[in-house]
Amino acid sequence: MSVVAPPEIPPSAAPPDPARPDPPRHRRTLPEWVKANLLLLPTSVWFAFLLVIPLLIIIEYSLGKRGVIDPVHFTWSHLRYANYKDALDPDRLPIFVRSIEYAAISTFACVLLGFPLAYWIARFGGRFRNVYLVLVIIPFLTSYLIRIYAWQVILQDNGLLNRLLGDLGLGNHHVFINHAFAVILGLTYGFLPFMILPLYASIERMDVALVEASYDLGHGKVSTFFRVILPTVSPGLVAGVLLVFIPAVGDFVTPSLLGGVRTQMIGSTIADQFGGSQNWPLGSAMSVLLMLFILAGVFVYLRRVGEEAL
Amino acid sequence: MTESDGPIEVGLYGVTKRFGDLVAVDDVTIAVGRGEFFSMLGPSGCGKTTSLRMIAGFEEPDRGRVELTGRDIVGVPPYKRNVNTVFQSYALFPHLTVADNVAFGLRRKKVSKSDVRDRVKRYLDLVQLNGYDDRRPSQLSGGQQQRVALARALVNEPAVLLLDEPLGALDLKLRKQMQLELMRIQREVGVTFVYVTHDQEEALVMSDRLAVMSQGKVEQVGYPEDIYERPATRFVAGFIGTSNIIEAAVTGRIGDFLEVEAAPGDRLLVPAPTDRSVSPGDRLSFTVRPEKLRVVAESEIVADRLCTVSGTVVDVVYQGVSTQLVIRTESGTTLVVFRQNSERVSDAGVPGTRTRIVWDPEFNVVLANEPDLEKELTG
């Protein structure tokens, strides 16, 4: 890393004139715009190496050919668009639709579960608010993979949940694993903190007097919720929805471990191309398409709700 | 306690409110007449805001009744009370325009769309904000936000408008201007105003009547000139304006006046209190406002019935309109005298000068004995 300094003013060769006061000394400083943007340098380097370059590699792979020894053969003269045609094969459409469906249901569940908790912590948490927030993120102390394995143990056919239901006389032959239920449960469980934290930040900032003002003006609890609280905290809600939905659509750990063949999501299908199926070009093409789709979706979403909220 | 004439619009009767160990409002009784501009005045933590919030319905009393237009409203949620509030922070809805903010309360009532438009316009005109309909609260100045908050509350035509230190966030000049504005609006709409403030001048200027509160209790209720000229307690005398408080022993009685002695040998007259009997030997404290006192030359002959005290000038503070003299009397009491600067300023005197103060005993007000205070106010 080197920073180019502006050309220095050459020191004056003439001896200082005792009759005149010293001219103001020019210290060796960088121009303002450089100084301000220096703050961006670490992240820029980080993103260049860990986001932009890998992304370019994925795009390169997506236009290559499946190889035998090297996984991908790429030549500029033979760009293979067929990978994209493959990726858009109507046979894969259900996987894609299912991914969006699961992610949407999980996001909605996160809103329903997260909102009351975030509201409670922000408004009634008192001086223990920070403790509650730490409790919310405590699951992150354990790897997501391990926690999903734990769910596997709980949900499997002779797992904890079935045994518990059996002891309660509710039958012990329920099938949870390999079903949509298990995958959605896993996604909701995994991403819930990403909903709670931004919601909390928004609710905490809200002036309590707004709620009182709404009551004062004749609006009951339900009306106040939809007309005052929800619009006021919508920046947090929008952020929470994005933070849950985006990783949930592309997640592959949860459907791989808790789902079955019929509950595969796009993430696990892509992971498959790089693993078992050994079709890196196809996997790369699917990745690129998924990214474009999510970007378009976020763009539309922010244009519709974001203008009000952000 | 001075009662209002005419029907009572809103009243607190024997109301007590506790927050944990703290008694925020302690057995308060206040009745506000229809169409009155009534203020609750006191330092922070005196219970005025809590009293207001109990009328609004944001707090429920632990004991006592809250009556609105003759009906007990304890337990009625705020959205079912025919009162509206102007909040200290204004609490305008940031996601709504000015017009939508004002229309917010009407959306809940069965008011047709064109009626809503008309009323919003009428009340924005009233607060002189026509043409601001489509602005967001964040685009308005503090004074303008204040006006929106006022229009938003008044548009519902409540029985009582509650105002919680509404001018607290404004600078002095704007505050003076809004005081007059609020008085005009109150006269125009005729709604009962209950106004909470810690600014004594504001309360004296604006109110028809006011209650002075301290430590959860009502110290005195009355017309502004009552409160100022005849403070009932030491707290009121000290909180409103500047007061001289003199401790004295009763030595005799002449008609409606008591003879008292602050320092051995002097003889002062004070109007005898009508609500309690005093006998020679009792100690009492009385108060007199600094502008009632006059500085006279040692040689001047003074009528016998006037109060006369000799002392030494300790401090002279020039204040433009008047000069404040601090005088230490022979008994050791410090008295403050306001002298109108209608003569030459240099005549006010210099520290160290011996001087004599004279005033009419009519202006002396005997203060309630502190332990008897509670009995006197509630009995």
Side-chain angles (χ1 to χ4, degrees), chain A residues 73-154:
Chain A
H73 279 293
F74 175 81
T75 43
W76 281 103
S77 49
H78 292 91
L79 298 178
R80 267 181 57 99
Y81 298 104
N83 296 323
Y84 284 92
K85 227 181 104 196
D86 254 10
L88 290 168
D89 189 330
D91 286 354
R92 292 188 216 281
L93 193 64
I95 299 177
F96 192 66
V97 171
R98 192 186 297 136
S99 303
I100 292 167
E101 188 189 319
Y102 287 3
I105 295 172
S106 300
T107 307
F108 189 65
C110 282
V111 173
L112 290 186
L113 290 170
F115 201 102
L117 181 66
Y119 197 83
W120 184 85
I121 296 176
R123 290 287 306 279
F124 306 109
R127 59 206 174 90
F128 293 114
R129 280 197 288 202
N130 288 338
V131 176
Y132 297 132
L133 287 179
V134 168
L135 289 180
V136 166
I137 56 170
I138 263 192
F140 291 144
L141 297 182
T142 310
S143 146
Y144 184 63
L145 200 60
I146 290 172
R147 286 182 284 138
I148 290 301
Y149 270 121
W151 274 110
Q152 218 178 28
V153 174
I154 294 169

Side-chain angles (χ1 to χ4, degrees), chain B residues 27 34 61 84 97 103 153 178 192 217 231 234 238 241 274 303 311 356 369:
Chain B
D27 195 18
R34 183 160 302 161
N84 287 111
T97 62
M178 280 304 292
T192 310
K217 288 177 190 290
R234 188 180 281 261
T274 51
R356 201 149 64 114
N369 284 335

